[in-house]
Amino acid sequence: MSSIKLHKYEKWFYRFLFSFAILFVLTAILFFLNNKTNLYFTISSLMKLFLVLSIGMNLFISKKTKDWREKGNQLSKKIGLKRLLLVEGYIPQRNGTAVLEIHHNLGPLKDGFTLKKQRREQVVTEFKEELKEDFCKLAEWKNHSVPDEVLLITTTHISLAKIWENSSHPYFYMKKSDKIFDSNVKMNRLEWIMASFSTTGRVDYQPPKQWDSYYFYTSEKMGA
């Protein structure tokens, strides 16, 4: 299992969910217009179908990724990470190499309401300080607890990449990959709104357009 497969499944979930939402609106309009023709019953039936598909896909994703997420959470807690999450990854051209993906550890949506009460500068400062601590712990774990062949990678948007690059220095160097590892990683508007609010307490409506993949190398080891 890897986030590449997870994001493929999620894309299908959101397609089903958006289709359901559109059909729900159309059904409601026809209902209030008292237009209960064959068109109404057809759209209503399709709406129910996409609702079932959405629920089914959500259950499938939860079951398929349960062990993978659990292992990642346990490893991250063992290292003592707060803002970062490590999960097993995969790169097609790196068969036989152990790969770990670094992700931004999103907190629950309710965290946004607490962060909303704080000044933005305070939220950003604390975020960067915790990232600095995380990368220090990660580097110590990488240098002393795992074999050299473990490869650390990530795929993220350019703004977070810059923050990570600054926060990971001097423990890691980030090297941009020539190709993106996960083409489905880009967030849709709904995902981005929830992610931005839970992280900063502010809502950002425009998801980033540029996403890239990176390798993380400890200071003494650079190269692809």
Side-chain angles (χ1 to χ4, degrees):
M1 185 63 195
S2 69
S3 61
I4 297 175
K5 288 184 178 180
L6 170 62
H7 292 140
K8 284 182 179 178
Y9 297 147
E10 286 180 336
K11 293 302 178 187
W12 280 106
F13 167 72
Y14 282 107
R15 285 170 189 156
F16 293 151
L17 187 63
F18 290 150
S19 298
F20 162 73
I22 292 170
L23 291 167
F24 177 82
V25 171
L26 291 174
T27 302
I29 291 173
L30 291 173
F31 177 82
F32 284 114
L33 291 176
N34 201 25
N35 184 8
K36 294 186 178 180
T37 60
N38 289 337
L39 177 63
Y40 168 81
F41 290 107
T42 300
I43 294 177
S44 177
S45 298
L46 286 172
M47 177 194 71
K48 294 172 184 175
L49 172 63
F50 279 105
L51 174 60
V52 171
L53 288 172
S54 299
I55 295 172
M57 180 57 76
N58 190 37
L59 292 173
F60 171 78
I61 292 172
S62 298
K63 184 177 181 180
K64 193 79 174 176
T65 62
K66 182 181 178 182
D67 292 341
W68 175 73
R69 289 179 187 271
E70 217 167 86
K71 287 180 182 177
N73 285 327
Q74 289 176 356
L75 176 59
S76 301
K77 286 179 181 178
K78 180 181 177 182
I79 299 171
L81 305 180
K82 293 181 179 179
R83 292 290 186 168
L84 300 177
L85 177 66
L86 282 184
V87 292
E88 290 181 6
Y90 171 72
I91 304 178
Q93 66 270 30
R94 294 285 185 139
N95 289 330
T97 301
V99 177
L100 289 175
E101 300 173 6
I102 300 177
H103 290 266
H104 170 45
N105 191 10
L106 286 173
L109 202 60
K110 65 180 182 180
D111 285 358
F113 295 100
T114 302
L115 295 171
K116 190 178 181 181
K117 300 174 184 177
Q118 303 176 16
R119 292 184 297 107
R120 186 180 183 88
E121 294 77 10
Q122 181 184 351
V123 173
V124 173
T125 299
E126 290 178 359
F127 177 60
K128 290 181 178 179
E129 287 176 353
E130 289 182 343
L131 277 175
K132 192 85 172 177
E133 292 175 5
D134 276 4
F135 279 114
C136 178
K137 293 176 182 177
L138 183 58
E140 185 176 349
W141 173 81
K142 175 72 169 64
N143 290 331
H144 298 99
S145 303
V146 297
D148 293 339
E149 59 268 18
V150 171
L151 186 64
L152 298 177
I153 64 170
T154 193
T155 300
T156 188
H157 56 90
I158 191 168
S159 298
L160 187 57
K162 288 180 178 178
I163 293 174
W164 279 3
E165 187 172 24
N166 291 330
S167 300
S168 62
H169 183 77
Y171 312 109
F172 289 96
Y173 288 103
M174 287 176 65
K175 184 177 180 181
K176 185 177 176 181
S177 171
D178 294 334
K179 57 180 69 176
I180 192 165
F181 303 139
D182 184 359
S183 58
N184 292 306
V185 71
K186 295 181 181 180
M187 291 183 177
N188 59 47
R189 195 178 300 274
L190 178 60
E191 290 175 297
W192 181 248
I193 287 173
M194 293 190 295
S196 60
F197 183 72
S198 65
T199 302
T200 65
R202 279 78 179 167
V203 175
D204 186 354
Y205 294 97
Q206 189 59 49
K209 294 181 179 179
Q210 184 177 345
W211 295 68
D212 297 295
S213 295
Y214 302 85
Y215 298 98
F216 282 85
Y217 296 105
T218 47
S219 299
E220 70 276 8
K221 294 174 185 175
M222 277 291 288

